[in-house]
Amino acid sequence: MEQSIENKLIIADKAFSEWKKVPFEERQKLIAKAAEVLKANSEKFGEIITREMNKPISQSIAEVEKSALMMNYYAEAENILKPEKIESEYKFSEVHYVPKGVILGVMPWNFPFWQVLRFATPAILSGNTVVLKHASICFGSGNAIEQVFLEAGFPQGVFQNLEVGHKEVKEILEHDAVKGVSLTGSGRAGGEVASIAGLNIKKSLLELGGSDAFIILDDADLDKAAKVGAQARLQNCGQTCVAAKRFIIDEKVEDEFLPKFIEEYKKFVPADPMNKETKISGMARPDLADDLEKQFNKALENGAEIIIPLERISDHEFNPGLIRVQEGNPILQEELFGPLGMVMIAKNDDEALQMANDIPFGLSNSVWTQNADRQMFFIENLESGTVNINRMTSSDPRFPFGGTKASGYGTELSLIALKEFVTPKTIVGN
């Protein structure tokens, strides 16, 4: 391990020994200051995001502002980590929540501020310190986030950005100072990191891929579903784990819904990401565009039909595509991370549910129906961490966020996230 990385881990460990003693309410005050720094610099930070991964500038600024809102949520959150008294026959019977130490964050490029701060904020508020291994194209974002914490008044070492590649993750995670890891990324990366953590008996939290269903039943508000559905697929150029990727349409409204959906979909035309009017721009890297093109051709080779062709217009830009896919197409077992959507037609609610669940992933689904009984049928039976009713998927600081099946385990956001990287210590005696 490079000496500079070793030194940063030692600094993080020393910072933890003091940070864990800082009262919860004092930590909250610093988090509130960090939120102020984010909000005051949202345009500057938004430009960093857009330069690094091509996100439309309006979406980049919104990402920074949403991160500030999330930090304010935790700055005002109830302290659920106070010692908890348990009724018993003993003089002492309590549960204390003890922070684990230095936590490694392995974070992706698609939301370079939000993903990092979504993990780091509750971990730090719980008394841990954080070291970040960001995606290689987002070191600028990682350094900017570190400066946010320092400018807000956090002690040195509470949050540090490590400019390292994937090869260094194993050594860092195996280091004695590091007590856990949170990863947002692909299933393959998650499996590798979780294996290292498991072999070293360290806690891991994984937020992995998704292939979420957007289910349109015959009593849905079709105009709204079409408009929201296009946004749900193509926001951030479709490079979102919880993007709607499979549009499962009740056959009774196929002829009415599809033209509306196609009309909305075609409004997303790639343009200059620095223009605040731009709704969609290029993908983050040319190799990611290559991967999407290969998946598109694979789907067609296995019987998919083109509704709107996926047209490559530069090394990293596409006119968004839409394909009709039958059950059994192997592309359904993969995640499409880019501006390509899939349409499937269901005969009834049971078949729509079966189609939605028949994938390895289980992150977040969306169901469009006005009927309360039908809503409850899908709420109770969809295999995912979140079910949205008549709305697109989005993460909200107030609600737990996480997946099931191959979409990972553990919880981000909400008060529950405060307990992800703490040890419940039982105190019993007379």
Side-chain angles (χ1 to χ4, degrees), residues 102-127:
V102 182
I103 309 299
L104 169 64
V106 182
M107 294 292 132
W109 45 262
N110 59 335
F111 289 90
F113 270 65
W114 170 253
Q115 301 279 19
V116 172
L117 290 166
R118 184 175 76 179
F119 140 69
T121 302
I124 287 170
L125 181 55
S126 298

Side-chain angles (χ1 to χ4, degrees), residues 19 50 69 130 160 176 207 229 305 310 324 363 370 384:
W19 180 246
T50 296
L69 285 172
V130 163
Q160 295 179 93
D176 288 343
E207 197 270 275
E305 301 168 20
L310 181 74
R324 185 189 301 266
L363 199 51
Q370 304 301 319
S384 57

Side-chain angles (χ1 to χ4, degrees), residues 386-404:
T386 302
V387 177
N388 299 273
I389 306 297
N390 298 321
R391 66 184 298 275
M392 67 181 278
T393 294
S394 63
S395 49
D396 184 309
R398 298 169 295 175
F399 308 129
F401 182 84
T404 186

Side-chain angles (χ1 to χ4, degrees), residues 60 112 216 229 406:
S60 297
I216 303 100

Side-chain angles (χ1 to χ4, degrees), residues 201-388:
I201 322 299
K202 296 181 180 182
K203 173 71 183 284
S204 60
L205 186 158
L206 304 178
E207 197 270 275
L208 308 177
S211 187
D212 296 339
F214 193 97
I215 303 167
I216 303 100
L217 302 184
D218 60 326
D219 64 339
D221 180 336
L222 299 184
D223 290 328
K224 186 177 179 183
K227 186 178 182 67
V228 174
Q231 173 74 7
R233 181 68 202 101
L234 297 174
Q235 180 179 331
N236 200 23
C237 199
Q239 300 167 123
T240 307
C241 293
V242 293
K245 298 187 172 91
R246 296 173 300 134
F247 294 85
I248 300 173
I249 306 168
D250 188 306
E251 66 178 10
K252 292 184 285 296
V253 290
E254 175 187 355
D255 292 342
E256 187 179 356
F257 176 75
L258 259 184
K260 297 176 186 289
F261 184 46
I262 291 168
E263 182 183 353
E264 293 295 336
Y265 209 84
K266 286 184 174 180
K267 291 178 181 178
F268 287 77
V269 179
D272 177 9
M274 285 295 182
N275 185 331
K276 288 189 176 180
E277 301 302 313
T278 294
K279 296 168 68 174
I280 188 171
S281 50
M283 294 183 68
R285 299 193 312 259
D287 64 300
L288 299 168
D290 292 342
D291 291 342
L292 186 69
E293 201 165 42
K294 288 173 187 173
Q295 289 179 297
F296 174 65
N297 290 327
K298 177 180 178 179
L300 298 182
E301 288 164 7
N302 284 278
E305 301 168 20
I306 294 174
I307 299 173
I308 305 172
L310 181 74
E311 295 177 330
R312 194 164 184 172
I313 56 177
S314 77
D315 66 346
H316 66 292
E317 293 173 296
F318 290 101
N319 285 321
L322 196 62
I323 53 177
R324 185 189 301 266
V325 179
Q326 304 291 336
E327 285 188 274
N329 193 314
I331 202 66
L332 290 166
Q333 303 305 306
E334 301 178 13
E335 180 178 27
L336 297 180
F337 217 65
L340 177 63
M342 296 178 283
V343 167
M344 303 179 75
I345 307 301
K347 293 185 176 65
N348 51 44
D349 291 9
D350 287 325
E351 186 171 72
L353 175 71
Q354 185 269 325
M355 287 176 173
N357 285 340
D358 190 23
I359 58 167
F361 307 102
L363 199 51
S364 184
N365 292 300
S366 180
V367 182
W368 291 71
T369 173
Q370 304 301 319
N371 183 284
D373 291 336
R374 298 174 91 182
Q375 290 172 1
M376 189 54 61
F377 170 73
F378 284 96
I379 288 168
E380 291 179 343
N381 292 290
L382 280 168
E383 297 168 353
S384 57
T386 302
V387 177
N388 299 273

Side-chain angles (χ1 to χ4, degrees), residues 2 5 8 132-134 139-140 143 161-165 168:
E2 286 185 23
I5 302 303
K8 287 192 173 186
L132 169 67
K133 184 268 174 265
H134 215 324
F139 287 164
N143 288 327
N161 181 47
L162 310 179
E163 293 192 6
V164 296
E168 285 82 12

Side-chain angles (χ1 to χ4, degrees), residues 54-212:
N54 294 318
K55 181 178 297 186
I57 187 67
S58 59
Q59 294 178 25
S60 297
I61 294 169
E63 176 184 336
V64 177
E65 292 176 345
K66 182 178 179 179
S67 299
L69 285 172
M70 178 270 299
M71 295 189 87
N72 277 324
Y73 165 80
Y74 282 108
E76 299 166 3
E78 175 192 355
N79 182 5
I80 63 168
L81 302 179
K82 292 181 294 191
E84 184 180 335
K85 295 189 183 298
I86 308 293
E87 289 296 322
S88 75
E89 70 274 23
Y90 299 105
K91 180 179 178 182
F92 299 106
S93 52
E94 297 180 350
V95 178
H96 293 196
Y97 294 98
V98 182
K100 288 186 176 294
V102 182
I103 309 299
L104 169 64
V106 182
M107 294 292 132
W109 45 262
N110 59 335
F111 289 90
F113 270 65
W114 170 253
Q115 301 279 19
V116 172
L117 290 166
R118 184 175 76 179
F119 140 69
T121 302
I124 287 170
L125 181 55
S126 298
N128 302 287
T129 58
V130 163
V131 291
L132 169 67
K133 184 268 174 265
H134 215 324
S136 58
I137 63 172
C138 292
F139 287 164
S141 291
N143 288 327
I145 294 168
E146 182 174 337
Q147 289 305 309
V148 168
F149 280 97
L150 292 172
E151 188 175 333
F154 282 83
Q156 185 180 7
V158 170
F159 180 98
Q160 295 179 93
N161 181 47
L162 310 179
E163 293 192 6
V164 296
H166 288 295
K167 291 179 181 177
E168 285 82 12
V169 169
K170 182 174 185 291
E171 273 189 292
I172 294 168
L173 188 47
E174 288 175 340
H175 194 281
D176 288 343
V178 176
K179 305 304 182 188
V181 60
S182 177
L183 177 141
T184 298
S186 68
R188 189 171 123 189
E192 290 173 356
V193 167
S195 297
I196 298 165
L199 285 170
N200 289 275
I201 322 299
K202 296 181 180 182
K203 173 71 183 284
S204 60
L205 186 158
L206 304 178
E207 197 270 275
L208 308 177
S211 187
D212 296 339

